[in-house]
Amino acid sequence: MMKARRGAAAFAALALLAAAAAAQTAPTAADAAGYKGLHAAAWRGDAAAIARLSPAKAQLDARDGHGRTPLHVAAFARQRDAIRALAKAGANLDALEADRYDAVTIASVADDEETLRVLLALGASAKQVTSRYDGTALIAAAHLGHDGVVRQLIAAGAPLDHVNNLHWTAVIESIVLGDGGPRHQATLKALVDAGANLQLADRQGNTPLQLARSRGYTAMVRVLEAAGAK
């Protein structure tokens, strides 16, 4: 019976992981081919064209069919010079696209540490509530085990204990949507070291320590026990 429950929980976690990954809609080849103006320049990484076109302020935050601004397009395409040029022109660094993702969360989900570094240095916020799950970039990165991204977001003041609409924190997601491997262990350690609340429980009342034990994630259990988790 216990094995069956664990199997069901693992399946549910994988389903949520897949759903979260699919929630972001990157521009397709067809989208890119249809782009004009600043969207096209952002996709190509053409900073000179952005500088030339940016006096048309109304276009800086124009939306494509998925609500993506040129900045979102540049973040998906990892075009950092375009991001810098758009920021210099006054683009909104914290805009949300149709799926409620900002550029910071887009870079975080992609494990794109360099683009994230550029965005944060330009003043983009690590504190926004994003996605259909009412989460944060930190929660998204934690569930994927993107430990370097997690450390950047923590340093930028991301809320450590935000609870999403699944009733999960970044700490909980690093466990229930993780594989217990080295990167998820490093993610959990970064959150613990930053002072995340280790007693916030899921909707069923399970604490992070209980969740790690139930999954047999012994390395995570050791991290939590060493930090005094109950």
Side-chain angles (χ1 to χ4, degrees):
M1 180 65 73
M2 179 64 71
K3 187 177 290 185
R5 283 201 297 268
R6 287 181 182 174
F11 179 81
L14 287 171
L16 281 166
L17 180 60
Q24 286 197 5
T25 307
T28 64
D31 290 333
Y35 282 152
K36 300 185 185 307
L38 284 171
H39 280 92
W43 182 256
R44 297 192 309 268
D46 190 340
I50 290 169
R52 186 172 67 253
L53 294 166
S54 60
K57 294 291 185 184
Q59 294 303 309
L60 270 176
D61 298 317
R63 306 284 179 152
D64 69 6
H66 287 275
R68 295 175 295 231
T69 67
L71 184 76
H72 295 130
V73 168
F76 274 119
R78 304 187 180 213
Q79 297 288 9
R80 293 147 201 153
D81 286 343
I83 289 171
R84 293 185 184 96
L86 288 163
K88 183 176 180 180
N92 182 356
L93 300 181
D94 296 323
L96 301 179
E97 41 88 273
D99 288 321
R100 294 179 55 208
Y101 288 100
D102 59 352
V104 164
T105 310
I106 289 166
S108 297
V109 168
D111 202 14
D112 185 357
E113 292 191 48
E114 187 52 38
T115 296
L116 178 62
R117 191 171 290 110
V118 168
L119 286 163
L120 294 175
L122 290 168
S125 176
K127 301 177 181 181
Q128 293 203 100
V129 175
T130 66
S131 86
R132 67 188 66 173
Y133 301 104
D134 294 333
T136 62
L138 182 63
I139 290 177
H143 99 243
L144 292 165
H146 294 166
D147 52 311
V149 167
V150 164
R151 285 188 286 271
Q152 279 199 60
L153 292 170
I154 290 171
L160 293 174
D161 300 320
H162 178 83
V163 180
N164 65 16
N165 60 23
L166 299 172
H167 216 268
W168 290 344
T169 62
V171 167
I172 289 175
E173 289 221 4
S174 74
I175 298 165
V176 300
L177 292 181
D179 60 7
R183 294 199 71 189
H184 283 97
Q185 293 168 31
T187 292
L188 177 62
K189 183 68 162 56
L191 292 164
V192 168
D193 289 348
N197 187 332
L198 304 181
Q199 299 311 125
L200 290 175
D202 68 9
R203 197 166 271 131
Q204 288 70 45
N206 300 303
T207 66
L209 180 57
Q210 289 169 330
L211 291 165
R213 283 174 174 162
S214 72
R215 284 159 175 75
Y217 293 165
T218 55
M220 287 182 148
V221 168
R222 285 195 296 270
V223 169
L224 292 165
E225 288 179 337
K230 303 296 184 183

